Amino acid sequence: MPEPQRPYDDDQAMAPTGAGGGMDLAMSEGETLEKTPGGPLGTGPAEKPRSLWSDAWRDLRRNPVFIVSGLIIVFLVVISIWPSLIASQNPLSCDLAKAQQGSQPGHPFGFNGQGCDVYTRTVYGARTSVTVGVCASLGVALLGSALGGLAGYFGGASDAVLSRITDVFFGIPVVLGGLVLLSVVTSTTVWPVIGFMVLLGWPQISRIARGSVITAKQNDYVQAARALGASHSRLLLRHISPNAVAPVIVVATIALGTYISLEATLSYLGVGLKPPTVSWGIDISSASPYIRNAPHMLLWPAGALAVTVLAFIMLGDAVRDALDPKLR
């Protein structure tokens, strides 16, 4: 008769080895599964999903347009804060005996009509332009986002009133409004110009923020949070704003270059910044009558203005491409 089989016990998990010893198959199998990359099914540990911002930063680092424009903007910011790093002279120090003269040793850009060093004034003009552009963009973004976001979230009468007010501001020509409003200002600081840009610039951001909030508040996670009793402030700050702010950032970044060119335009027309403030628009305005006899007076501040505006527009385009899921 065949020998009856014994019930399975732990001894059967021992297999003979070539050295006469035993090896625990169960333990070996367990260790093998633990050491196998990705677990027993080879699927790997669940990777943490990347957010929109991490994907956008990864794309921006690989975008040469972002790198080039970012380097230009960093350089402009540095010389705006510390212009003496590359310009040791005083931009208001002038010598009429050297008026309209060309390049000389120590004065690579020549002199303007008042005998001031064009290179020094071009370097110091970056501080004014960057200050106006950044402050105006921040003010427009904050005011427009707040008004448009609240109107889009609550809707009803507040949304209708804001929409009509926005239509009124859209009907005001920017340059004409600047000629009317800034012509009565006697201050030589940049704040009246910044305030004017914020006053006429917020409707565009407001309309974009309103549309983004209306789209975001219809998502399922917002409806679930509302069903769980989340307050209005929590819904706006924790759930809606992080998912609706991307279009606002894109438009504000592109508009920054527009505000810099607008400041130069208003200063050129004589209603923006006023002397003794150093501004590219002022220098372009004073040099335009002498473009035939001394073109260097116009080309250097105009070239610096063009490069600055182009850098911010390129940066805005790169940010838009990175934050737009449809372009992936």
Side-chain angles (χ1 to χ4, degrees), residues 7-31:
Y8 178 81
D9 53 18
D10 294 340
D11 293 340
Q12 288 183 332
M14 301 296 294
T17 62
M23 180 178 65
D24 191 343
L25 293 179
M27 181 64 69
S28 176
E29 182 179 359
E31 291 178 353

Side-chain angles (χ1 to χ4, degrees), residues 13-257:
M14 301 296 294
T17 62
M23 180 178 65
D24 191 343
L25 293 179
M27 181 64 69
S28 176
E29 182 179 359
E31 291 178 353
T32 304
L33 292 177
E34 290 179 358
K35 295 179 181 180
T36 302
L41 298 180
T43 57
E47 183 180 358
K48 184 179 180 181
R50 291 192 299 264
S51 63
L52 173 64
W53 303 105
S54 61
D55 286 341
W57 175 240
R58 183 191 61 180
D59 294 341
L60 286 174
R61 289 181 297 176
R62 301 176 181 178
N63 191 344
V65 174
F66 172 77
I67 296 175
V68 173
S69 61
L71 291 176
I72 296 175
I73 292 173
V74 169
F75 174 74
L76 290 172
V77 171
V78 170
I79 67 173
S80 298
I81 300 175
W82 299 289
S84 58
L85 291 176
I86 60 175
S88 58
Q89 301 184 21
N90 188 349
L92 301 179
S93 177
C94 305
D95 185 2
L96 286 176
K98 299 180 179 180
Q100 300 184 24
Q101 293 184 9
S103 177
Q104 296 180 6
H107 307 278
F109 293 175
F111 300 88
N112 64 5
Q114 302 296 325
C116 304
D117 184 50
V118 176
Y119 171 77
T120 304
R121 290 186 64 87
T122 302
V123 172
Y124 276 82
R127 170 182 292 177
T128 303
S129 297
V130 172
T131 301
V132 171
V134 172
C135 293
S137 296
L138 288 176
V140 167
L142 293 176
L143 180 60
S145 299
L147 295 178
L150 292 175
Y153 178 78
F154 291 104
S158 60
D159 188 14
V161 171
L162 180 68
S163 298
R164 301 295 76 79
I165 295 176
T166 302
D167 294 337
V168 171
F169 277 90
F170 270 122
I172 301 176
V174 177
V175 177
L176 179 59
L179 291 173
V180 174
L181 296 178
L182 295 177
S183 60
V184 298
V185 177
T186 59
S187 176
T188 59
T189 63
V190 299
W191 300 113
V193 178
I194 295 174
F196 162 75
M197 293 180 181
V198 173
L199 178 63
L200 293 186
W202 68 267
Q204 181 185 15
I205 298 293
S206 175
R207 181 164 291 183
I208 293 173
R210 172 183 174 272
S212 298
V213 169
I214 291 176
T215 302
K217 75 176 184 178
Q218 298 175 357
N219 293 327
D220 294 337
Y221 58 85
V222 177
Q223 301 299 330
R226 181 181 286 110
L228 293 175
S231 61
H232 293 304
S233 60
R234 182 176 180 84
L235 289 174
L236 281 170
L237 298 178
R238 296 291 301 274
H239 300 285
I240 296 179
S241 296
N243 296 280
V245 72
V248 175
I249 294 176
V250 172
V251 175
T253 305
I254 297 177
L256 199 153

